[in-house]
């Protein structure tokens, strides 16, 4: 956007209050610099106590956002009916000399005066009719919209203000990762791209975060380009690390699973079988207090607890043990759940490292159990470390805050289905702030994400959403964004995002910056691939045709007799 002389640029005169107690309207003849979403302010003077003049008065700049525009005066409609008629020329002929001829009534939602410590303070005083309205300067917006300077430690420069490219939007990383975040968008709106930008900011030398990404689609492998990238080199020699764990390398220890985790992995079973399995699970946990038991130990416990007494008082083996053993043996053959191997927290998290847990090609039930085990284990590690229950050298020792980004979050915390992962997420989202465990949820179907989980994410990134059910769910689950911005959802373009919540001083409409690494979630170009396939095989067919038919091999003979 071209720079304008914003210094005390008057854009209109106040007409009076608006429909609500926090709105006012002003009149302008030029709607170009005062588009919907722009920031404007009026000035209030406050005289010192006991004085009646303006000498020594403090001037308050009360910021607001334009939320509505209405044309209130214009040339007669008849002048616009003929496309060959110039309305301005006709108006001049009849003596109408006002230029321009249109007047607009703009509605402004008052945000308040900005305070460095307390944020926006609503002074509860609307401007008087006749007060001047000014367009907010770039420098003012840089200061009041962002909690952090873009280059400062603890800041994440995510992009620029949509209507002002000269105004960067920098998020407060401390608030972002401690109060949790949600990235909500429809398919193809750029949610994974935005998440990639955020991860880049977290891995810059000014932040050096410890990040884990649960990646069900294998879209984040391109973050490997962080290695050796000059933009991420620190003056002290810092370089971010990227650890990609493929499905073949993914190992979860069986003894870290709770009863309901195991139940999720097994085929459906009767109530009696579930009761026997619960007793067996309790038994192995009693027998192995160190927590290291195997599936075979659980099968043995099933046969131990499944005992019935006949009419003569004889105790014999129950009928459920064999069926349960068969189901548990199926789990024992899993590629992901092992007796000893697993991924301890200290292997998943290190400051200055992003670990990408690829779960593509893994069945949904197993994805849910893997995510549950990792989230639970990480939560316990942070709690035990903070409370001094474990020391350095223990696999549960995690002495620094961590951040977990979960793609397709509605798979792990569905709105209307029971899920053990959902219960663990609820616990982390409500208590994780105290122990330095932050979570980011990414979903293309916010309507299918559990409302309790969504409501505990205090920072929101909202991209284009057209589904009415998802839009309605946002109105109740993401109140910080404001109704006026949520109306923009269907009209947002790719890469345009509403950012609201604890990470910014006020909700803003932002254009996401370009990624430094390649985006790994691009849609395949089907027409180009079809054309390439056709061209390749056409060339092969042409080469075969030019070579002519292959010579027929001569039959082998013995004497005068053919071997054919």
């Amino acid at each position: 956007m071209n720079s304008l002389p914003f210094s005390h640029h008057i854009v209109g005169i106040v007409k009076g209050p608006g429909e609500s107690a926090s709105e006012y309207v002003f009149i302008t003849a030029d709607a170009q610099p005062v588009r919907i979403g722009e920031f404007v302010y009026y000035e209030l003077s406050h005289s010192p106590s006991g004085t009646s003049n303006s000498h020594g008065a403090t001037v308050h700049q009360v910021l607001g956002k334009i939320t509505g525009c209405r044309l209130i005066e214009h040339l007669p409609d008849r002048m616009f009916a003929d496309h060959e008629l110039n309305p301005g020329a006709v108006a001049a002929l009849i003596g109408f000399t006002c230029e321009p001829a249109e007047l607009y009534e703009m509605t402004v939602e008052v945000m308040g005066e900005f305070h460095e410590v307390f944020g926006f303070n609503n002074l509860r005083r609307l401007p008087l009719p006749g007060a001047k309205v000014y367009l907010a300067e770039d420098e003012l917006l840089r200061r009041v919209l962002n909690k952090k300077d873009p280059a400062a430690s603890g800041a994440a420069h995510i992009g620029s203000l949509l209507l002002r490219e000269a105004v960067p939007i920098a998020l407060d990383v401390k608030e972002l990762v401690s109060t949790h975040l949600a990235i909500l968008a429809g398919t193809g709106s750029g949610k994974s791209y935005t998440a990639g930008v955020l991860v880049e900011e977290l891995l810059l030398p000014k932040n050096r975060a410890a990040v884990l990404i649960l990646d069900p689609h294998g879209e984040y492998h391109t973050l490997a380009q962080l290695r050796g990238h000059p933009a991420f080199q620190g003056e002290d020699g810092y370089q971010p690390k990227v650890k990609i764990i493929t499905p073949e390398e993914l190992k979860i220890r069986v003894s870290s699973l709770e009863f309901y985790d195991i139940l999720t992995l097994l085929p459906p079973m009767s109530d009696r079988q579930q009761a026997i399995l619960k007793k067996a699970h309790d038994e192995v946990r009693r027998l192995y207090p160190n927590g290291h038991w195997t599936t075979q130990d659980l099968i043995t416990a099933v046969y131990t607890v499944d005992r019935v007494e006949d009419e003569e008082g004889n105790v014999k083996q129950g009928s459920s043990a064999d069926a349960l053993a068969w189901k548990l043996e199926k789990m024992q053959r899993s590629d992901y759940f092992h007796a000893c191997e697993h991924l301890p927290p200290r292997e998943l998290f290190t400051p200055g490292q992003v670990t990408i847990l690829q779960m593509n090609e893994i069945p949904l039930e197993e994805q849910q159990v893997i995510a549950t085990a990792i989230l639970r284990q990480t939560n316990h590690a942070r709690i035990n470390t903070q409370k001094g229950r474990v020391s350095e050298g223990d696999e549960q020792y995690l002495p620094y805050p961590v951040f977990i980004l979960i793609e397709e979050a509605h798979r792990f915390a569905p709105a209307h289905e029971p899920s053990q992962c959902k219960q663990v997420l609820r616990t982390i989202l409500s208590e994780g702030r105290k122990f330095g465990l932050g979570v980011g949820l990414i979903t293309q179907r916010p309507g299918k994400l559990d409302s309790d989980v969504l409501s505990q994410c205090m920072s929101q990134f909202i991209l284009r959403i057209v589904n009415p059910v998802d839009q309605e769910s946002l109105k109740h689950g993401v109140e910080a964004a404001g109704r006026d911005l949520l109306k923009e959802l269907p009209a947002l373009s790719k890469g345009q995002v509403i950012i609201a919540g604890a990470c910014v001083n006020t909700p803003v409409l932002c254009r996401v910056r370009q990624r430094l690494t390649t985006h790994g979630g691009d849609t395949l170009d089907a027409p180009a691939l079809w054309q390439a396939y056709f061209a390749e095989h056409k060339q092969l067919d042409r080469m075969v045709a030019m070579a002519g038919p292959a010579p027929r091999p001569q039959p082998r003979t013995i004497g005068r007799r053919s071997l054919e």
Side-chain angles (χ1 to χ4, degrees), residues 148-158 169-177 196-211 231-236 238-241 350-354 400-403 513 516:
K148 290 279 188 178
D149 181 89
S153 175
H157 176 209
I158 202 73
I169 299 300
L171 313 179
D172 186 342
V173 172
K174 175 186 174 183
E175 295 293 335
L176 197 68
V177 302
V197 171
L198 180 60
V199 173
E200 289 178 352
E201 289 293 320
L202 293 176
L203 270 295
L204 283 170
K206 62 183 179 182
N207 290 316
R208 311 188 186 198
V211 181
F232 296 88
Q233 293 179 355
E235 295 180 356
D236 58 352
Y238 165 79
Q239 274 287 349
K241 299 177 182 178
T350 300
Q353 174 179 298
V354 54
Y400 35 76
V402 298
F403 181 65
R513 70 159 174 82
L516 301 174

Side-chain angles (χ1 to χ4, degrees), residues 8 41-43 59-63 112-114 140 143:
H8 280 72
Y41 67 89
Y42 64 91
E43 294 181 340
V59 177
H60 302 272
Q61 292 180 331
V62 183
L63 203 66
E113 181 191 27
F114 181 72
L140 173 63
R143 182 171 59 87

Side-chain angles (χ1 to χ4, degrees), residues 505-552:
N505 285 326
T506 187
V508 292
L509 193 52
C510 172
R511 184 184 301 278
V512 178
R513 70 159 174 82
Q514 186 173 353
R515 277 185 61 167
L516 301 174
T517 56
T518 305
H519 179 44
D522 287 333
T523 303
L524 293 177
D525 188 348
L529 294 173
W530 292 332
Q531 292 286 354
Y533 178 87
F534 182 86
E536 178 185 351
H537 285 74
K538 191 71 174 177
Q539 181 68 17
L540 289 174
D541 293 343
R542 189 180 298 111
M543 292 173 62
V544 171
M546 291 176 63
R552 186 172 183 272

Side-chain angles (χ1 to χ4, degrees), residues 47-306:
S47 300
S49 178
T51 64
S52 59
N53 55 38
S54 60
H55 182 71
T58 303
V59 177
H60 302 272
Q61 292 180 331
V62 183
L63 203 66
K65 185 187 298 181
I66 296 175
T67 59
C69 174
R70 187 171 70 91
L71 183 63
I72 59 173
E73 187 174 308
H74 57 92
L75 294 173
D77 294 343
R78 178 63 61 182
M79 292 188 180
F80 300 96
D82 188 346
H83 66 274
E84 300 202 358
L85 192 64
N86 186 333
V90 175
L93 287 175
I94 63 177
F96 192 90
T97 57
C98 293
E99 184 67 31
E102 296 82 14
L103 288 179
Y104 298 88
E105 183 182 85
M106 314 298 293
T107 303
V108 179
E109 178 76 24
V110 176
M111 297 161 55
E113 181 191 27
F114 181 72
H115 190 280
E116 296 288 347
V117 177
F118 301 108
F120 284 99
N121 175 32
N122 193 336
L123 300 178
R124 303 293 178 184
R125 288 176 58 192
L126 292 175
L128 297 174
K132 296 175 182 178
V133 180
Y134 304 93
L135 194 64
E137 300 89 354
D138 286 353
E139 186 55 41
L140 173 63
L141 294 180
R142 288 191 194 99
R143 182 171 59 87
V144 304
L145 296 183
N146 301 317
K147 289 189 173 182
K148 290 279 188 178
D149 181 89
S153 175
H157 176 209
I158 202 73
S160 59
L161 193 62
L162 183 61
L163 299 180
R164 305 275 192 95
E165 292 183 6
V167 179
I169 299 300
L171 313 179
D172 186 342
V173 172
K174 175 186 174 183
E175 295 293 335
L176 197 68
V177 302
S178 64
T179 62
H180 317 296
L181 72 95
I183 300 178
L184 314 170
T187 303
S189 298
K191 63 183 187 305
S192 298
Y193 190 97
T194 303
V197 171
L198 180 60
V199 173
E200 289 178 352
E201 289 293 320
L202 293 176
L203 270 295
L204 283 170
K206 62 183 179 182
N207 290 316
R208 311 188 186 198
V211 181
L212 171 67
I213 303 175
L214 302 187
D215 183 10
H217 296 309
E219 296 180 340
Y220 290 87
H221 61 280
T222 55
L223 287 171
Q225 297 170 13
L226 291 172
R227 303 188 192 109
H229 196 295
F232 296 88
Q233 293 179 355
E235 295 180 356
D236 58 352
Y238 165 79
Q239 274 287 349
K241 299 177 182 178
V242 181
K243 185 174 184 177
I244 298 177
I245 300 176
T246 63
E248 294 77 21
E249 300 170 314
L250 210 161
K251 313 295 181 187
I252 300 295
R253 183 185 289 159
V254 172
S255 56
S256 68
L257 302 181
E258 300 285 347
F259 167 69
Y260 287 103
D261 300 333
I262 297 173
L263 209 58
T264 303
L265 294 172
L266 298 181
M269 60 182 69
S270 65
D271 291 343
R272 186 178 189 280
Q273 289 177 342
Q274 289 187 32
I276 296 297
L277 183 61
K278 180 67 170 66
K279 289 181 180 179
H281 185 262
D282 292 341
E283 180 68 9
V284 293
R285 296 184 68 175
R286 184 186 67 81
L287 293 174
Y288 301 93
N290 63 351
H292 292 248
W293 48 267
T294 67
T295 307
Q296 192 57 51
D297 294 326
L298 185 58
I299 293 173
T300 302
V302 165
Y303 281 102
T304 301
V305 300
D306 185 21

